[in-house]
Amino acid sequence: MTYRVAMDIGGTFTDVVAYDETRGTYFAAKAPTTPGDLAEGVFASLGRAVDDPAAISFFVHGTTQGLNALLERKGAKVLLLMSEGMRDVYHIARGNRDRMFDLHYRKPVPLVERYSTAEAGGRLDWRGDELRPLDEEAVRAAARRVRAEGYTAVAVSFLFSYVDPRHELRAGEILREELGDDVMVVLSHDVAGEWREYERTSSAVLDAYTGPVVRRYLGRIEERFAERGLGVPVQVMQSSGGVVNASFARSHPLQTLLSGPVGGTMGGVAAAELLGRGDAICVDMGGTSFDVSLVLDGRPDISTEGTADGFPVLIPLVNLHTIGAGGGSLAYAEAGGLRVGPESAGAVPGPACYGRGGTRPTVTDANAVLGRVDPDWFAGGHMTLDVAAAREAVGALATELDLDPVTLAGGICDVANAKMAQAIRTLTVEHGREPREFTLLAFGGAGPMHAVEIARELGVGEVVVPLYPGAFSAWGMLGTAVRRDLTRQFFTPGDALDGEAMASALAGLEARGLAALDEQGVPSERRTVEHAVDMRYEGQDYTLAVPLTGSDEPLAEGFLVAVSARFAAQHERRYGHATPEAPVEFVTLRTTALGAQPVQESRPYAPDPDGTPWQESPAKPVVFGGRTYETPVLRREHLSAGAQFNGPAIVVEATSTTVVPPDALVTVDANGFLVIKLGGAA
């Protein structure tokens, strides 16, 4: 037997999904994340799904190592090398305020101090023509400073390197010659080959800051897996919604910044296709955070730029909105009111009910007090919850707020739900869409526990809980394509467009993309290429990426009229207005090379043949809306396709728990998904 395996390393749990290529079956498992040595949690989780790593034919995982290093400010010591006279670009940044009415707003503190910024002479003009040669001695002086002062990474960002990178390439050669492999060297054009000096420099700095941490982590994981007999390359999830092998990820660590949560979005795309839904809100609630992303017209919502902890990033990434709201989010009193998160109990000590020494109440403790979890069969029976400890933790806060413990437990869940609903509105409003137009796809260890109440807050009428919801991000990674994204600046007004030049540039990007897939071992029959061009109306600052039908489309007669109409329609959908008669500008060419994974032929969904009939499950008291209901606890693996039941109900499984309130109807569809309709029973 051989297995395709995916793993998501979260802040609280490490989730794994294995696909048996012989039997066409899936298996999911999880184990607590071990912050001191992540490999320990990795192999504990893997051991519950696959006996022998040598039987693994494909292994992909998501990691938040780079993001954690950024958030905790535990990245590398970086020297920034800029063009002469441009030393302060990174520190001046932009003059805009993200929070207009916040009197205490401050720009993020730069990751590189001004003292750690050096300059090198030499200059190209905006066309890429050399005005002055590179001052190679200045670069060597920077290398000597790196050795003398203990820097572990260098970021190089020269003017107009996105047009012609010759000076950056030569600086990189000198730095590697002087410093060897012990110091990471990052060239801005290689990270973000686009204009906007500050944003490109910020991207290069982020790559250098997080790179050594990601490199060390991937090196350790590959080494540990090799020791245990893994014979295939380790693959890593990218922020753009594709996978690459670990060797590429080591040289482009910024691509893995949102590695873990993005797997859930790609799983959402696959689930939406199975459901026949074009639009879905993907909500991933784990132990530490709550991540929201969208599926629009059957495709992931991907942006060509974003921010990471306040710093701009010029790379394609799935548009995620994350807040500190998870099962481990701590509840506390502030100014006489109840607050929940963003601080989390994490994996250690975790919620009080985990019995690992936690004493402060969390969202999971509140659910335990309300009876919404099965304490004897939590995480598939691998954990037993201490409900008495949860009551004690919640009770202490209830005394402080002069409330009944059960009432407070309900309030903790209500506050968390309101925060998560607002996070969803933030994302849908960006697209001018109402949440009620979507299906809510709930996953993560805690997502199905709160999904129905969140949907009610938003006016959403349908909630879907897929198979293996607690390990859904890992499931999503299994079918995700290998992906390489390439860009080239191509600024020209619409009335001056040279179609042959654009087609030639796109063909060059396509050739590079296909070569990259070849390096990844993707056979030619599984390769596809997509093209787009960033466009805007003249005078605008923002752009929209408009899809093209192929690299040769600019050669077609009437191309300008057709692509302008396409841009206007997209502008109308996104912003609610368009000006079709206004002149347009082309800004950036984008090419995405995709390598599809082998088709996973899975068996039709069927319940566990050895299970007891689900109707015979015992009832237990559960609190909904301040009232106690005798509620059946159902084992999901015993539910047949076509089964239908009314709330209230608690559905338990190995990776998560689904809470169904009294006024909801649940149907098990042909895929084994739980489809929950709000607003009344059958």
Side-chain angles (χ1 to χ4, degrees), residues 15 20 105 108 113 136 171 235 281 367 391 416 439 581 597:
D15 307 317
D20 186 329
Y105 171 75
E113 296 180 359
E136 297 190 2
Q235 306 285 331
I281 299 169
N367 279 302
R391 289 196 183 104
T439 291
E581 67 278 4
Q597 299 289 356

Side-chain angles (χ1 to χ4, degrees), residues 157-177:
S157 183
F158 291 158
L159 283 174
F160 304 113
S161 60
Y162 61 87
V163 179
D164 188 328
R166 74 181 93 166
H167 282 183
E168 281 196 356
L169 289 170
R170 179 55 185 149
E173 290 174 356
I174 294 170
L175 291 168
R176 294 184 180 103
E177 173 190 323

Side-chain angles (χ1 to χ4, degrees), residues 373-385 633-638 651-657:
V373 293
D374 185 347
D376 300 321
W377 207 75
F378 191 74
H382 292 288
M383 291 181 67
T384 300
L385 299 185
V633 179
L634 314 178
R635 291 281 288 270
R636 184 167 182 178
E637 65 268 27
H638 301 164
V651 183
V652 298
E653 57 186 298
T655 66
S656 187
T657 297

Side-chain angles (χ1 to χ4, degrees), residues 58-62 218 222 232-237 243-246 249 477 482 520 597:
F58 173 82
F59 177 77
V60 60
H61 82 304
L218 291 175
E222 285 189 300
V232 295
V234 173
Q235 306 285 331
V236 183
M237 193 74 194
V243 300
V244 290
N245 61 33
M477 295 176 197
V482 176
Q520 296 272 313
Q597 299 289 356

Side-chain angles (χ1 to χ4, degrees), residues 114 116 191 203 207 213 277 345 395 486 500 601 629 655:
R114 189 175 186 275
S116 295
V191 179
S203 301
D207 202 43
V213 174
R277 312 289 196 274
L486 302 162
E500 291 188 2
E601 298 289 349
Y629 295 80
T655 66

Side-chain angles (χ1 to χ4, degrees), residues 7 14 31 34 37-50 53 59 220-230:
M7 183 175 293
T14 295
T34 49
D37 180 6
L38 288 176
E40 184 180 332
V42 164
F43 289 112
S45 181
L46 185 64
R48 295 174 181 175
V50 178
F59 177 77
R220 285 197 303 269
I221 286 291
E222 285 189 300
E223 183 180 332
R224 297 284 288 272
F225 267 104
E227 290 171 356
R228 297 186 179 227
L230 182 72

Side-chain angles (χ1 to χ4, degrees), residues 131-150:
L131 301 178
R132 284 185 289 123
L134 176 67
D135 183 349
E136 297 190 2
E137 178 52 36
V139 179
R140 296 187 189 279
R144 291 193 292 271
R145 184 177 170 188
V146 168
R147 288 196 301 268
E149 299 180 19

